[in-house]
Amino acid sequence: MKYRILYLFLLLVLVSACSTTKLIPEGEELYTGIKKIEIEKPKEMKLDPELESTLSSPLDYPPNNALLGSSSIRIPFPIGLWAYNYLYTEKKKGFRHWLYKMLAKPPVLISNVKPELRTKVVENMLDDYGHFKSDATYEILKDKKNPKKAKILYKINITEPYVLDSVAVVPNTTSADSIISATPLSPQLQSGQNFNVANLEAEQTKMTNKLKDMGYYYFRPDFLTYLADTVAVPQKVQLRLLRKDDIGNNLLEPYSINKVDLFIHSRDTTDAQTLQYRGMNIHYNKKLKVKPWILHKAILLRSGSVFNQDQQNMTMQNLYRLNAFNSVNIQFNPDTLTAPNDLGMRIDATLDAPFEVEAEFDVVYKSNSQVGPGLTAGITWKNIFKGGESLSLKFKGSYEWQTGPKTDANQNKNLINSYELQLSAGLNVPRLLVPSFMVPKYFRYPNKTSIEISEDFLNRAGYFRMITFGTSITYDFQTSKKWFHSLTLFRLNYNYMLNKSESFQETLNQNSAIAQSFQNQFIPMLSYTLTYDTPYGNNPSNKFVWQNTFSSAGNVLNGVMTLFGNKQTHKKIFNNEFSQFVKNTTEFILYKGLPGKTVLASRFMVGLGHAYCNSEVMPYNEQFYIGGANSIRAFTIRSLGPGSYRPAADTRNAYLDQVGNFKLEMNVEYRFPLIGDLHGAVFLDAGNIWLLKNDPKRPGGQLKGSTFFKDLALGTGVGLRYDLQFLVIRGDLGIALHTPYPNPKKSGYYNISKFKDGLAFHLAVGYPF
């Protein structure tokens, strides 16, 4: 084996000086990438953002040994070409044949790239966007040292786009034609808009969908066509939308549903049964696994109703949302003999497996130098009550140990280990469990009710042991394509401290505010999250998101107890005080698509919490903190604030102090493509947390207008993102520019002692926002 490795090493050294064009056929050139794409256009003309972002796509073609799929950058060692040129053997066995099969890559030739065809695709694309008479050309640039190698230079000359002069709908004779004529044209087809084939096709689809929702089952987009005149008015297009004449009358009539058959398929094919329920026939084997009224509510197309494509799609979605079927298919069959304008609807639904098991193992490394494995295991019983409900049981366990230096309190090896055990049970119901008069008859969008109970045992080495019991009921629903709602009508958590270490107790004794946030207490809460998510403009990357979460704890309970005569300042239930506070967090995120497939992403977030009446401080895990991979990336998590406060360097439990009840954070990030799936980013982050009341134990922590801007931490940095479509791996290097706390060694706004002291690297999954 060692000789084979030596042979491979020597072979690589030898072939590094060998030719990569040895086997290139006569009259061919080895394609070594795109030299450049030159685009010429009038200075004042702005390209459509979508066209600009995709214009070069037809020209992209990676050469041999391309770096991450790039069309212009190659790695310096063309191992695949070397192997192709020098390792070929007629033998079908042996090490050399194996090495050839493993490494050899055939050369990418200019003729393989087909540049002439690619330029034609670009010209057609420009025509589709109204840039008529534009042209795309190419030039083969042979390598001066080796004429068997060549790059391609592309040149694209873009003319001014044609705009719409007028758009008219030509009337015809059928009822379908009347509907088309009465339907207003989209804004994109108004006079003065740029000619765009995609807009024309979208209008055909819009008209077709409207007709299908009114019973015209057989109508298709290609029944409509356009007549365009580009000669009558210079640089303008006169359009006429009309229906083709050669369409049969039976295809232009509305249809109704005369029969609904639902076939529920399962592994057991014996004892076939049929149940007639409110105008539909349900066919199944042995036992019906889903309640008939649930099925009837999910199926919106009924016997006697006019065909409606939108209701067909919603029926499909409703059946899938029941979480009882793994496949659903809907077919329509015309009744050509007795009722020519009637359709029979057949639904085939296959039952899903009743159980689903999941297991996940991971290893975590935290900013507090804790590392260790974690295990999550769960089982889900689907359709447990025959109404699409699912019952889930989950267990989560994690174990961590300290990797950094031990402190005096942690010299005992038995104390440096931390672990967490969590057990939860959840019931998900694919509808809102509220009185029927409170909800609309049909929901176009997903909605569900989630009920959960949980127990969490937490051991933090050298700090405390705590157990938390919780239960909640949450309603999730969507009222439009843009508005999302999540209402947690009831959540009750009970935190019980089992024991505390001496050093941790000493910290609590020194800071009564921190001590109160860790006391045994009930936390009765309700919360409501409203999300508005919408695209804007023509660029597909443009999006605006607003999310607001309001939480209230203890207010209803305090009001009820006061109503029944309890006038105590600190009320208790089961001999434990309950927490009372309000908290609101609002977040604005804006994505702006820019030329060259780049995106400018920005976020503004503000949060405010206030404890009162029955509580002096909010629970620790409800208070705000800042810093880390998804926040101000120049600083580690919980290393800033509140305000200009900074704990002493030798304070063991310093991070406990670095929380507040007011938070402000601002982020701007410029994202751009690098090579293939590798993207880069440059970012700027600012923000901090504050206290609304003065705390003598944390000087400088109170929010004040006079010190507000000085208290804002500021950081910049660069990052890399590798986008795998289903997963984004992100690495960000944060660079601190200003700390809110003063630095005696460095005055001025830039108060970082040394450049390296202001660096923080974060490895994370997903985008920060």
Side-chain angles (χ1 to χ4, degrees):
M1 182 65 184
K2 64 181 180 179
Y3 294 111
R4 288 188 174 186
I5 297 175
L6 179 61
Y7 174 68
L8 177 61
F9 174 76
L10 292 175
L11 184 62
L12 291 175
V13 172
L14 290 173
V15 299
S16 63
C18 297
S19 170
T20 57
T21 57
K22 178 182 177 182
L23 299 180
I24 300 297
E26 191 65 31
E28 294 277 10
E29 295 92 12
L30 176 68
Y31 169 66
T32 57
I34 296 175
K35 177 68 175 178
K36 191 179 181 181
I37 300 176
E38 296 180 353
I39 299 178
E40 295 184 5
K41 64 180 183 65
K43 290 184 179 180
E44 302 299 325
M45 185 183 74
K46 291 185 178 180
L47 288 179
D48 182 283
E50 187 174 352
L51 171 63
E52 189 170 17
S53 64
T54 58
L55 186 59
S56 63
S57 298
L59 306 179
D60 290 336
Y61 196 93
N64 290 99
N65 55 291
L67 179 61
L68 299 176
S70 170
S71 296
S72 54
I73 303 177
R74 305 167 68 204
I75 59 176
F77 303 105
I79 296 174
L81 285 175
W82 290 336
Y84 180 84
N85 281 281
Y86 294 98
L87 289 182
Y88 179 75
T89 175
E90 296 290 343
K91 297 180 180 179
K92 300 302 179 183
K93 294 182 180 180
F95 175 71
R96 182 169 177 174
H97 173 73
W98 171 83
L99 196 61
Y100 178 83
K101 296 290 288 183
M102 284 287 293
L103 300 178
K105 300 293 181 183
V108 178
L109 306 176
I110 293 291
S111 59
N112 299 137
V113 179
K114 297 182 174 61
E116 184 176 0
L117 176 62
R118 294 180 180 278
T119 53
K120 292 296 182 184
V121 172
V122 171
E123 290 177 351
N124 291 338
M125 182 184 295
L126 291 168
D127 286 344
D128 288 346
Y129 282 86
H131 297 276
F132 303 127
K133 301 179 182 178
S134 298
D135 64 270
T137 59
Y138 69 94
E139 183 179 349
I140 307 297
L141 303 177
K142 294 187 178 182
D143 190 284
K144 294 180 179 179
K145 296 181 179 179
N146 186 351
K148 299 293 285 184
K149 296 181 180 180
K151 290 181 178 291
I152 301 178
L153 171 65
Y154 290 103
K155 296 181 180 180
I156 305 174
N157 180 35
I158 306 177
T159 61
E160 289 281 1
Y162 278 59
V163 299
L164 297 178
D165 178 57
S166 60
V167 182
V169 179
V170 179
N172 216 310
T173 56
T174 67
S175 58
D177 299 323
S178 300
I179 295 173
I180 295 171
S181 300
T183 303
L185 295 172
S186 301
Q188 293 79 9
L189 289 188
Q190 301 300 322
S191 178
Q193 295 292 320
N194 284 6
F195 176 88
N196 190 319
V197 169
N199 293 337
L200 305 187
E201 294 174 347
E203 193 69 14
Q204 290 173 303
T205 302
K206 185 192 80 172
M207 296 287 188
T208 300
N209 290 340
K210 182 168 185 177
L211 286 165
K212 281 182 172 291
D213 288 343
M214 299 177 70
Y216 293 84
Y217 173 74
Y218 288 105
F219 203 91
R220 302 197 310 264
D222 60 355
F223 287 4
L224 298 173
T225 188
Y226 292 93
L227 294 179
D229 186 348
T230 60
V231 178
V233 182
Q235 208 67 27
K236 291 187 177 182
V237 180
Q238 293 181 343
L239 272 184
R240 298 293 180 267
L241 172 63
L242 66 157
R243 179 182 56 79
K244 295 179 180 178
D245 292 329
D246 56 346
I247 308 298
N249 288 334
N250 63 316
L251 305 181
L252 300 174
E253 296 177 352
Y255 284 75
S256 298
I257 308 298
N258 69 348
K259 184 173 62 172
V260 178
D261 287 288
L262 170 62
F263 291 84
I264 299 178
H265 305 283
S266 63
R267 293 183 178 180
D268 190 346
T269 58
T270 61
D271 193 15
Q273 305 280 337
T274 298
L275 172 67
Q276 292 184 345
Y277 183 83
R278 300 183 65 177
M280 68 178 184
N281 303 313
I282 305 174
H283 309 272
Y284 60 96
N285 297 96
K286 280 194 174 180
K287 293 183 178 181
L288 185 58
K289 301 294 185 181
V290 185
K291 295 175 182 177
W293 72 269
I294 294 288
L295 295 171
H296 183 265
K297 187 175 181 180
I299 299 173
L300 304 184
L301 285 173
R302 310 286 169 78
S303 180
S305 65
V306 175
F307 171 78
N308 186 298
Q309 180 179 253
D310 186 49
Q311 291 185 353
Q312 175 193 349
N313 295 334
M314 288 178 63
T315 296
M316 180 87 72
Q317 294 174 12
N318 291 342
L319 290 173
Y320 272 117
R321 288 173 193 163
L322 292 178
N323 204 29
F325 306 108
N326 60 22
S327 69
V328 177
N329 183 51
I330 301 179
Q331 293 180 328
F332 295 90
N333 303 304
D335 189 348
T336 55
L337 297 178
T338 59
N341 283 21
D342 282 354
L343 297 171
M345 183 171 73
R346 174 186 172 123
I347 305 175
D348 290 278
T350 303
L351 287 169
D352 201 356
F355 294 99
E356 183 177 85
V357 179
E358 62 175 319
E360 179 181 334
F361 179 81
D362 57 22
V363 177
V364 297
Y365 181 81
K366 297 183 177 179
S367 59
N368 59 1
S369 299
Q370 295 278 115
V371 63
L375 174 66
T376 301
I379 183 171
T380 300
W381 189 351
K382 299 179 181 179
N383 195 35
I384 184 172
F385 300 124
K386 297 184 178 181
E389 307 88 353
S390 60
L391 177 65
S392 300
L393 299 176
K394 285 189 177 181
F395 167 80
K396 180 179 180 181
S398 62
Y399 182 81
E400 302 168 0
W401 59 86
Q402 191 78 24
T403 59
K406 300 177 185 177
T407 63
D408 293 338
N410 278 340
Q411 290 300 317
N412 188 336
K413 293 182 178 179
N414 294 325
L415 293 179
I416 66 172
N417 298 324
S418 299
Y419 54 88
E420 181 177 10
L421 302 174
Q422 185 181 85
L423 186 64
S424 64
L427 178 66
N428 288 316
V429 181
R431 54 192 173 275
L432 300 182
L433 296 181
V434 295
S436 58
F437 69 86
M438 297 179 63
V439 296
K441 187 176 182 181
Y442 300 118
F443 260 104
R444 174 180 295 273
Y445 303 100
N447 61 91
K448 67 176 181 178
T449 303
S450 302
I451 303 171
E452 184 177 10
I453 57 173
S454 62
E455 173 276 330
D456 186 278
F457 175 78
L458 179 63
N459 175 76
R460 281 290 175 256
Y463 295 96
F464 59 83
R465 289 183 181 179
M466 183 174 69
I467 190 167
T468 300
F469 300 96
T471 182
S472 67
I473 177 169
T474 301
Y475 299 103
D476 294 302
F477 56 97
Q478 186 178 346
T479 52
S480 72
K481 291 182 178 180
K482 302 176 181 179
W483 291 99
F484 303 81
H485 311 260
S486 180
L487 173 63
T488 300
L489 195 61
F490 174 76
R491 173 181 288 142
L492 178 63
N493 290 338
Y494 175 58
N495 297 335
Y496 181 72
M497 194 70 66
L498 296 174
N499 60 23
K500 309 165 189 172
S501 68
E502 293 182 4
S503 62
F504 184 66
Q505 184 62 56
E506 183 180 346
T507 299
L508 299 183
N509 293 338
Q510 295 173 356
N511 194 323
S512 59
I514 298 296
Q516 291 176 31
S517 67
F518 275 96
Q519 67 184 0
N520 298 338
Q521 59 185 318
F522 284 94
I523 309 175
M525 290 182 63
L526 62 86
S527 65
Y528 172 62
T529 298
L530 175 65
T531 303
Y532 178 72
D533 188 332
T534 180
Y536 68 93
N538 296 324
N539 194 307
S541 298
N542 289 353
K543 188 169 73 166
F544 172 74
V545 180
W546 170 58
Q547 185 174 82
N548 190 87
T549 299
F550 173 78
S551 303
S552 173
N555 295 292
V556 175
L557 182 60
N558 186 69
V560 171
M561 296 181 73
T562 301
L563 186 65
F564 281 88
N566 190 332
K567 305 297 184 180
Q568 294 180 345
T569 304
H570 294 285
K571 300 178 178 64
K572 295 183 178 182
I573 53 174
F574 303 111
N575 205 34
N576 283 274
E577 293 185 1
F578 59 87
S579 184
Q580 187 174 1
F581 64 88
V582 290
K583 178 181 176 182
N584 193 83
T585 303
T586 191
E587 180 180 26
F588 300 90
I589 301 176
L590 182 69
Y591 303 97
K592 175 64 176 177
L594 300 174
K597 299 182 182 180
T598 62
V599 175
L600 183 66
S602 54
R603 173 175 65 174
F604 177 84
M605 176 196 297
V606 61
L608 174 66
H610 177 59
Y612 57 97
C613 290
N614 218 56
S615 300
E616 296 182 16
V617 295
M618 294 192 298
Y620 183 76
N621 58 358
E622 292 292 339
Q623 297 184 53
F624 297 108
Y625 61 88
I626 205 164
N630 298 319
S631 182
I632 303 179
R633 284 158 282 185
F635 303 90
T636 57
I637 192 170
R638 297 181 189 270
S639 63
L640 288 170
S644 60
Y645 169 72
R646 189 184 191 189
D650 58 350
T651 304
R652 181 175 182 271
N653 301 319
Y655 79 94
L656 296 174
D657 291 332
Q658 300 197 266
V659 291
N661 45 21
F662 181 80
K663 178 179 181 178
L664 177 67
E665 185 175 329
M666 298 166 286
N667 315 85
V668 178
E669 183 170 284
Y670 179 65
R671 301 169 182 170
F672 49 90
L674 289 174
I675 303 167
D677 296 328
L678 185 65
H679 300 257
V682 178
F683 54 83
L684 184 69
D685 304 321
N688 204 345
I689 54 173
W690 289 268
L691 303 173
L692 296 180
K693 296 180 180 179
N694 183 46
D695 183 356
K697 299 290 186 179
R698 292 181 282 179
Q702 186 178 8
L703 177 65
K704 295 181 179 180
S706 59
T707 59
F708 175 77
F709 290 103
K710 290 183 180 180
D711 288 349
L712 288 174
L714 182 66
T716 185
V718 295
L720 293 175
R721 292 97 168 86
Y722 193 66
D723 192 346
L724 300 174
Q725 302 301 321
F726 63 92
L727 179 70
V728 176
I729 301 174
R730 171 169 58 95
D732 286 331
L733 178 64
I735 305 171
L737 298 178
H738 174 73
T739 63
Y741 46 83
N743 183 358
K745 298 180 181 180
K746 183 79 171 180
S747 60
Y749 187 79
Y750 179 77
N751 56 357
I752 312 301
S753 298
K754 297 180 181 179
F755 180 76
K756 66 180 182 63
D757 295 337
L759 300 180
F761 179 75
H762 304 277
L763 184 64
V765 175
Y767 288 102
F769 56 90

